[in-house]
Amino acid sequence: MPAESEPGTAAQQDRRRRILDATVELASEGGFDAVQMRAVADRASVALGTLYRYFPSKVHLLVTALARELERANDAFERKPLAAPTAQDRVLHVLNRITRSLRKEPSLTEALTRAFMFADASASAETRAVVAQVHRMLLRAMRDPAAEAPSEPTGEQRAVAQVIGDVWLATLVQWVTGRATAADVGRSLEVAVGLLLRPSADR
Amino acid sequence: MPAESEPGTAAQQDRRRRILDATVELASEGGFDAVQMRAVADRASVALGTLYRYFPSKVHLLVTALARELERANDAFERKPLAAPTAQDRVLHVLNRITRSLRKEPSLTEALTRAFMFADASASAETRAVVAQVHRMLLRAMRDPAAEAPSEPTGEQRAVAQVIGDVWLATLVQWVTGRATAADVGRSLEVAVGLLLRPSADR
DNA sequence: GCATCGACTGAAACGTGTTCCTATTATGCA
DNA sequence: TGCATAATAGGAACACGTTTCAGTCGATGC
């Protein structure tokens, strides 16, 4: 019995993958404005109506693509151990890695970030998936990798992860909107992490 | 000699005010989607082309309206002293007041917040004005009102104000997008302020 | 008073997100 | 295999943000 969680036939899964791939390609090339629904449909070899059957709006489409990208990044992260001794160092390491890859793809970052920020309540399922991936990433970095059993995060850890995630998104918006440079993003995150994760207690 | 900083003739200033008033009215009634450029022009008794002469896009228009609302709120705040003994209490007091008024106008909040978050680099002057108002509000609350000379904020104070502002915007987005309730917004802010402004030192 | 110049009006037109409709194709079932 | 149903293709149509333009109005200088 196949334990696949993916719904639909193989052809449908392939259409969905093609659509998301086309979305990321167009976003990488020209940012939010270049992700035009007709262009996505064309590049994915799918009719416009079919695109709307799979994703009910441009925002749903882009936020879903963001969730998929974060999921991939998380899976890649989890294959490597985090060696740094303190939670602060580990969190900063992870954040710096992500920031570096965002800097390499500014148009893609702009497209995905603006879609996430513009999403309304109808896309809350998709935005929640994105937030869940961010928390997964941060909580893993905060957890002590030396501990044997991966314990449940404490309430304070969750709160700190939430705040760091908020700061991350806010600074990302500042970068995308031209109010801060990529270097500023890194600095802001370091400041926030420094304020929130004092190295004294490895909380 | 008039030291007016407002540019343009009286008629132009009046048109500009009518446009922003119409924007806030429509936003209060139906949120972001109800702020349609033709509707704004009609209600402000102005031609569509004139509206675009004053504000080059819907986002510019809404973010400018947000800056004006925040400016008004700040002016009102500054007429009352902040009596609470600690910076933490004063900041939470101010944030709670704002949150309460946002809760009373959910459609307006949705419209202004989404516009701010969706703004691209071409509106960075307008978004910067909004950020400046938020920082002004937070730094005033963090400052010790008992001190005689209103001293310049320290670097750490600025950093903390920045982080709190980031968290505020991020939680606002969560509320607007239906991922959190208004009560959650208050709680998140309390947690963040608690983490960032320990009552021990009145920093 | 009159000419000039910039701002405003009213309306048409365009681009892109979104919806809708019909013909065609794929899929599962008797 | 043949049929019923759903999914897809192709494309027209609509809504709203945005642009453009010809004509009108009002202030300013002569």
Side-chain angles (χ1 to χ4, degrees):
Chain A
M1 60 183 106
E4 302 303 316
S5 62
E6 314 285 338
T9 67
Q12 284 170 333
Q13 289 173 33
D14 195 58
R15 271 194 205 92
R16 186 184 156 92
R17 187 191 50 71
R18 287 205 312 272
I19 290 171
L20 289 173
D21 288 348
T23 302
V24 171
E25 282 177 29
L26 288 165
S28 301
E29 291 165 17
F32 187 88
D33 290 341
V35 182
Q36 299 185 359
M37 299 304 270
R38 290 169 179 86
V40 172
D42 280 356
R43 193 172 295 209
S45 302
V46 143
L48 189 56
T50 305
L51 172 54
Y52 274 94
R53 172 184 293 272
Y54 280 74
F55 299 97
S57 79
K58 176 170 172 172
V59 163
H60 285 77
L61 173 60
L62 280 165
V63 176
T64 303
L66 172 56
R68 194 183 69 160
E69 296 295 306
L70 284 175
E71 203 171 337
R72 287 180 177 171
N74 257 330
D75 291 348
F77 275 140
E78 290 184 354
R79 279 197 291 278
K80 305 186 187 174
L82 285 167
T86 69
Q88 181 173 9
D89 289 339
R90 292 190 296 274
V91 168
L92 282 177
H93 175 78
V94 168
L95 288 172
N96 282 332
R97 267 181 76 106
I98 293 272
T99 302
R100 213 175 319 138
S101 60
L102 295 179
R103 206 198 290 235
K104 275 189 221 144
E105 294 270 17
S107 295
L108 179 61
T109 304
E110 183 254 8
L112 299 181
T113 303
R114 288 183 65 203
F116 180 85
M117 290 300 167
F118 191 57
D120 69 348
S122 77
S124 67
E126 286 77 10
T127 49
R128 273 178 213 275
V130 169
V131 170
Q133 292 296 333
V134 172
H135 284 187
R136 174 183 160 205
M137 185 167 71
L138 291 173
L139 284 172
R140 170 167 183 269
M142 287 167 63
R143 197 158 46 221
D144 184 355
E148 288 303 321
S151 56
E152 275 298 297
T154 66
E156 169 147 349
Q157 279 178 326
R158 287 186 192 280
V160 169
Q162 168 91 33
V163 173
I164 293 176
D166 289 350
V167 173
W168 187 41
L169 286 170
T171 54
L172 214 50
V173 170
Q174 288 168 28
W175 176 41
V176 162
T177 58
R179 311 199 310 273
T181 66
D184 291 334
V185 172
R187 253 195 307 282
S188 292
L189 286 170
E190 278 179 28
V191 169
V193 172
L195 289 168
L196 289 164
L197 285 171
R198 315 287 166 122
S200 54
D202 193 39
R203 47 180 174 156
Chain B
M1 57 183 108
E4 301 303 316
S5 62
E6 314 284 339
T9 67
Q12 284 171 333
Q13 288 174 33
D14 195 59
R15 271 193 206 92
R16 186 183 155 91
R17 187 191 50 70
R18 287 206 310 275
I19 290 171
L20 290 173
D21 288 348
T23 301
V24 171
E25 282 176 29
L26 288 166
S28 300
E29 291 165 18
F32 187 88
D33 290 341
V35 182
Q36 299 184 359
M37 300 304 270
R38 290 171 179 85
V40 172
D42 281 356
R43 193 172 294 209
S45 301
V46 144
L48 189 56
T50 305
L51 172 53
Y52 273 94
R53 172 184 295 271
Y54 281 74
F55 299 96
S57 79
K58 176 171 173 173
V59 163
H60 285 78
L61 173 60
L62 280 164
V63 176
T64 303
L66 172 57
R68 193 182 69 161
E69 296 294 306
L70 283 175
E71 204 171 337
R72 286 180 180 171
N74 256 330
D75 291 348
F77 274 141
E78 291 186 353
R79 280 196 290 278
K80 304 186 189 175
L82 285 168
T86 69
Q88 182 172 9
D89 289 340
R90 292 191 296 274
V91 168
L92 281 177
H93 175 78
V94 168
L95 288 172
N96 282 332
R97 268 182 76 108
I98 294 272
T99 302
R100 214 175 317 138
S101 59
L102 295 180
R103 206 198 291 234
K104 275 190 220 145
E105 295 270 18
S107 294
L108 179 61
T109 304
E110 182 255 8
L112 299 180
T113 304
R114 289 183 64 204
F116 180 85
M117 290 298 168
F118 191 57
D120 68 349
S122 77
S124 67
E126 287 76 10
T127 48
R128 273 178 213 274
V130 169
V131 171
Q133 292 294 333
V134 171
H135 284 187
R136 173 183 161 204
M137 186 167 69
L138 291 173
L139 284 171
R140 170 166 182 270
M142 287 167 62
R143 198 160 41 222
D144 184 356
E148 288 303 322
S151 55
E152 274 298 297
T154 66
E156 169 146 349
Q157 280 178 326
R158 287 186 193 280
V160 169
Q162 169 91 32
V163 173
I164 294 176
D166 289 350
V167 173
W168 187 41
L169 287 171
T171 55
L172 214 51
V173 170
Q174 288 168 27
W175 176 42
V176 162
T177 58
R179 311 200 310 273
T181 67
D184 291 334
V185 172
R187 251 194 310 279
S188 293
L189 285 171
E190 278 179 28
V191 169
V193 171
L195 288 168
L196 289 164
L197 287 171
R198 313 290 165 121
S200 54
D202 191 41
R203 45 177 175 162

